[in-house]
Amino acid sequence: MSATIEPDTASRPRDAERMRRWLRGYGLLSPALAVIVAMLALPVAALVLLSFWTQNGFELDRTPTLENYAQLVRLTDEPTVWFGIPFYFSYPVPAILMIKSVVMSLSATIAVIALAYPMAYFLAFRVHKHKALWIILITIPFWTSYLLRVFAWKIVLGFNGAINSGLKALGIIDQPLEFLLYNPGAVVITLAHSWVAFAILPIFVSLEKIDRSLLEAASDLGDSKLKRFLRITLPLSAPGTVAAALLVFIPTVGDYVTPTLVGGPGGTMIGNLVQELFLRQNNAPLGAAVAITMMLIIALIVAIFLWAIGYRRIRARRA
């Protein structure tokens, strides 16, 4: 009898201490959780609810229905061909813009990682003094607003912008290069510049945590600099690189400011369609359905990406 009571008595202080830690942890998290619920969860819940309603002219029909989602996947016998790809949807615009947005965001993400990784590597391995000052210097261009940076690229890539004026002054071209602006390439360049600073920091932290003795051991065992990088530095910095890639890819898929200012008709993305449905076509329920579908597709793409690269194995190896 006493053998069953003593363990319970001994475990009570541990349970009480665990409860106090739990309460302290959630007490610290509560302000952030409150903001997340108020600013994210509630709007998303409202968006989901709105997607099940329909718009009849100026009237909002609150009868629950799947009509908006059905409209996105309804098929037709006459396909719409886009870059040689047939789309058998009666309303193919969302599917086309979704694919286009994913491709453009993926291109911007690859460009950002290609730019950010060498900068983060330089900071982690080559800078030995005043690292905080270097990080502050890198972020100086991003103290201005996002909108101003996008407008700056519009000036740089414009018909009378810095590139065209410079090439004309050098006598290389007679007429401005029209393909620099209002196309998907301009959107990718602008997105890459706008997000590169945000990608440097997680990669830098990941590189900074690498145990230098591992690199010294690899050198002592005869590995070249390239082999040492490919076998040690790159795998151990993968968590930061993956986090940076997701940090850039997820928000850029739904961006509509950059495509609006520098994309033109050819650089339109799925975010522009959502904005168009909400503000110009007065069809908020359909816009909500497109937005919810977009979020689900992005979540699916991210899950497939993490599964494909074996993110759990990477985290376990890093730990």
Side-chain angles (χ1 to χ4, degrees):
M1 186 66 180
S2 59
T4 57
I5 294 175
E6 285 175 1
D8 291 343
T9 306
S11 65
R12 284 175 186 169
R14 290 198 297 271
D15 293 341
E17 178 62 24
R18 193 179 299 120
M19 179 61 71
R20 281 195 292 272
R21 289 180 182 176
W22 185 85
L23 291 175
R24 280 200 297 270
Y26 277 92
L28 292 172
L29 287 174
S30 57
L33 290 176
V35 172
I36 290 173
V37 170
M39 305 298 291
L40 179 63
L42 291 179
V44 171
L47 204 62
V48 171
L49 180 63
L50 183 61
S51 69
F52 291 109
W53 296 344
T54 51
Q55 188 78 38
N56 295 324
F58 292 102
E59 299 292 331
L60 192 62
D61 186 353
R62 291 181 171 80
T63 305
T65 176
L66 293 174
E67 174 57 28
N68 293 317
Y69 293 99
Q71 188 175 344
L72 298 179
V73 296
R74 188 170 291 134
L75 301 179
T76 181
D77 294 332
E78 297 181 0
T80 301
V81 180
W82 178 72
F83 281 97
I85 305 172
F87 288 84
Y88 287 90
F89 297 112
S90 60
Y91 182 40
V93 177
I96 292 173
L97 289 182
M98 190 67 227
I99 293 174
K100 190 177 171 184
S101 301
V102 169
V103 172
M104 291 168 66
S105 296
L106 192 59
S107 303
T109 303
I110 293 172
V112 166
I113 298 300
L115 291 171
Y117 200 97
M119 296 173 74
Y121 186 92
F122 174 78
L123 284 175
F125 290 101
R126 294 291 181 265
V127 176
H128 302 292
K129 293 182 180 179
H130 311 301
K131 286 190 177 183
L133 178 62
W134 276 87
I135 293 174
I136 292 172
L137 289 174
I138 287 175
T139 60
I140 283 178
F142 304 94
W143 291 3
T144 57
S145 77
Y146 182 81
L147 197 60
L148 288 177
R149 277 180 273 137
V150 176
F151 268 116
W153 273 106
K154 191 172 183 177
I155 294 172
V156 171
L157 300 174
F159 296 148
N160 296 315
I163 294 177
N164 275 324
S165 299
L167 293 176
K168 285 174 69 177
L170 293 172
I172 297 176
I173 58 174
D174 296 326
Q175 298 296 326
L177 301 174
E178 298 183 358
F179 62 86
L180 294 178
L181 193 62
Y182 300 128
N183 56 58
V187 177
V188 171
I189 291 172
T190 308
L191 288 175
H193 170 259
S194 299
W195 286 90
V196 68
F198 299 101
I200 291 173
L201 297 180
I203 299 174
F204 165 73
V205 172
S206 192
L207 290 169
E208 188 75 0
K209 286 183 177 178
I210 294 176
D211 188 348
R212 274 28 179 193
S213 63
L214 296 174
L215 303 176
E216 294 173 3
S219 298
D220 293 341
L221 292 173
D223 273 359
S224 64
K225 290 183 179 179
L226 180 60
K227 266 190 175 179
R228 193 178 64 184
F229 174 78
L230 294 177
R231 296 174 61 180
I232 298 176
T233 307
L234 191 59
L236 292 181
S237 64
T241 308
V242 171
L246 296 179
L247 186 68
V248 175
F249 175 76
I250 293 173
T252 53
V253 174
D255 191 1
Y256 77 93
V257 173
T258 307
T260 300
L261 295 178
V262 301
T268 305
M269 297 174 71
I270 190 72
N272 298 100
L273 176 63
V274 175
Q275 186 237 9
E276 178 83 13
L277 290 170
F278 266 91
L279 301 181
R280 296 188 179 178
Q281 296 188 19
N282 191 32
N283 196 344
L286 183 57
V290 173
I292 295 297
T293 306
M294 178 185 70
M295 285 193 289
L296 294 176
I297 291 174
I298 292 172
L300 180 63
I301 292 173
V302 170
I304 292 174
F305 171 69
L306 293 177
W307 171 80
I309 64 172
Y311 189 63
R312 285 187 177 180
R313 291 197 302 273
I314 292 174
R315 282 180 60 89
R317 187 166 50 198
R318 187 67 173 84

